[in-house]
Amino acid sequence: MEHLPNKRVSWEEYAMGLATAASVRSEDPFYKVGACALNKKNKVIGTAYNGLASGKVVDESFWADRDKRRPYMIHAEANLLSLIKRGKCKLLACTLLPCSACATLIAAHGIKKVIYKEVYKRDQMALDIFKFYNIKCECVENKYWDESPIYI
């Protein structure tokens, strides 16, 4: 997909670019996930990433075993939803398809559209949950942010 330098990216591309940028803040060495929320006026109302609760310090050995540390990780979507009020988010962009638990949180927040770049192979139940709650869900892999040097 070729973009001319003066062509403005879509709001979805913008949100996914911010989600991608947020993902680099994650301290998780296995999966860095980012998320971004836009309101009805396409204003950014939050960005977040996966990781531990703010201020929690752990020894380096904590990160060595992915399965042992997994229950303690806060997902990017959960972090993001903790920052915004219910009903305020029009679009949630996430670098990874939300898990089923995050999908139910997204539904509870009244979000009507979710975009993601990559399928979460461990849990794809979110697709059924989004369909059940009439939430539009779209995989937008291989778009502008993957080709542009400004995105990580």
Side-chain angles (χ1 to χ4, degrees), residues 4-47:
L4 299 175
N6 292 338
K7 184 174 191 265
R8 190 181 281 191
V9 298
S10 70
W11 288 113
E12 289 181 1
E13 289 171 326
Y14 177 63
M16 188 59 76
L18 293 173
T20 301
S23 72
V24 300
R25 287 276 305 149
S26 172
E27 66 261 81
D28 187 334
F30 297 100
Y31 243 112
K32 296 185 180 301
V33 181
C36 176
L38 300 182
N39 70 10
K40 290 169 181 61
K41 294 182 179 181
N42 294 314
K43 302 262 189 235
V44 177
I45 55 174
T47 59

Side-chain angles (χ1 to χ4, degrees), residues 15-120:
M16 188 59 76
L18 293 173
T20 301
S23 72
V24 300
R25 287 276 305 149
S26 172
E27 66 261 81
D28 187 334
F30 297 100
Y31 243 112
K32 296 185 180 301
V33 181
C36 176
L38 300 182
N39 70 10
K40 290 169 181 61
K41 294 182 179 181
N42 294 314
K43 302 262 189 235
V44 177
I45 55 174
T47 59
Y49 49 90
N50 62 316
L52 299 175
S54 183
K56 180 64 181 169
V57 178
V58 293
D59 186 83
E60 274 302 307
S61 63
F62 175 82
W63 301 107
D65 189 324
R66 185 176 186 195
D67 289 326
K68 284 186 181 176
R69 62 114 182 110
R70 188 185 307 275
Y72 302 97
M73 297 300 290
I74 301 170
H75 292 188
E77 306 91 325
N79 266 334
L80 180 64
L81 294 174
S82 75
L83 303 172
I84 62 176
K85 292 182 182 179
R86 186 190 187 293
K88 297 293 182 185
C89 178
K90 171 185 87 169
L91 171 73
L92 189 147
C94 193
T95 58
L96 186 67
L97 175 68
C99 70
S100 56
C102 287
T104 58
L105 291 173
I106 289 166
H109 263 73
I111 297 168
K112 294 300 179 192
K113 185 169 186 181
V114 174
I115 61 172
Y116 64 96
K117 284 198 311 187
E118 185 182 341
V119 172
Y120 183 41

